[in-house]
Amino acid sequence: MALSSRHEAIIAVLAGSGEVTVEDLAGRLGVSRETVRRDLARLETGGHLRRYHGGARPLASGPEAETEWPFAQRMAQNTAGKKRIALAARELFAPEDSLFIDTGSTTIAFAEALAARPSLMAITNSPRIAATLATNHSHKVFLLGGAYGADAGESLGPLALDQIGKFRARHAVLTIGAIDAHAVMDFDLQEAEVAKAMIERADRVTVLADHGKFERGAVFEVAPLARIHRLVTDLPPSEPMRRALAEAGVELIVAERD
């Protein structure tokens, strides 16, 4: 495939998926990962994309990626990686554990994996997650009410926050929109408020985030890294990000490949 054709193919993949890994591009284009990395470097220099460790994403509208794709599109992005995260995260919880679970494409995958585990108590603001977990009758599931957020199908606002305050859980399992060397963040104020409230009412915090969330910025801080106990992801972060996690005391769990 000629260089210009590869460039066009890479840009087309990014336009359709929002982000892509080096490994995925190498398979699609039939070239080595080193060739893909060189192509991505040239495309970044030309202002066509932004690289991150292990892949690339389209350029944001500002200096940092402070916007987020619609939820339906996020559900279709990196499904294999999110499934690996979900399966790895499932092994972290034991029968009789209690979990807050917020709404996100990765926590939906997590709920699908968790449904096979016995005797858990889950508190969630996602009707889809509640319905998925309730298929296992050994689980006790509490669905939070509130203002309905149609994009992700979730309960938000003061009523949801008030109900979170009535529970105390051993774990909070959260998705986030972005993570950098200082904090985990989200793009939506109401979603960030739900995550913060869950953190306040949980003993331990586990964040599920695929590689595309690393070294991004978002408007609303959810928690400093030091408040996070575990981070489960699908690909290793960059060395600076890895150091930041270690310095904050965050246990990094990279899901195994199939």
Side-chain angles (χ1 to χ4, degrees), residues 35-203:
T35 296
V36 170
R37 290 189 184 100
R38 288 194 295 269
D39 286 348
L40 293 180
R42 292 173 185 173
L43 286 167
E44 184 177 49
T45 300
H48 298 287
L49 54 79
R50 181 187 176 198
R51 288 184 297 163
Y52 60 81
H53 185 69
R57 64 174 66 93
L59 288 175
S61 58
E64 296 293 337
E66 294 185 349
T67 60
E68 191 170 40
W69 296 92
F71 189 77
Q73 189 162 354
R74 300 201 305 273
M75 284 292 295
Q77 292 172 352
N78 192 22
T79 54
K82 290 172 184 178
K83 182 177 179 180
R84 293 203 310 273
I85 291 170
L87 292 173
R90 177 182 67 181
E91 302 305 313
L92 303 176
F93 304 99
E96 309 306 325
D97 271 345
S98 54
L99 298 78
F100 286 113
I101 307 174
D102 73 350
T103 302
S105 58
T106 311
T107 45
I108 286 172
F110 171 65
E112 291 169 351
L114 197 66
R117 304 286 282 186
S119 303
L120 295 166
M121 186 180 83
I123 308 109
T124 182
N125 67 327
S126 166
R128 180 167 176 174
I129 289 174
T132 298
L133 292 174
T135 60
N136 183 332
H137 297 301
S138 73
H139 294 330
K140 183 176 287 187
V141 181
F142 294 89
L143 176 60
L144 302 168
Y148 185 67
D151 179 48
E154 59 189 327
S155 299
L156 299 166
L159 288 175
L161 300 178
D162 180 67
Q163 291 169 58
I164 291 170
K166 299 181 186 302
F167 294 91
R168 183 80 199 178
R170 186 171 182 182
H171 301 278
V173 183
L174 308 172
T175 57
I176 46 91
I179 179 171
D180 65 13
H182 307 287
V184 294
M185 296 154 280
D186 214 323
F187 298 93
D188 183 275
L189 174 60
Q190 290 186 303
E191 291 179 354
E193 288 175 339
V194 165
K196 284 182 176 182
M198 289 180 173
I199 289 171
E200 289 176 2
R201 302 296 298 173
D203 298 329

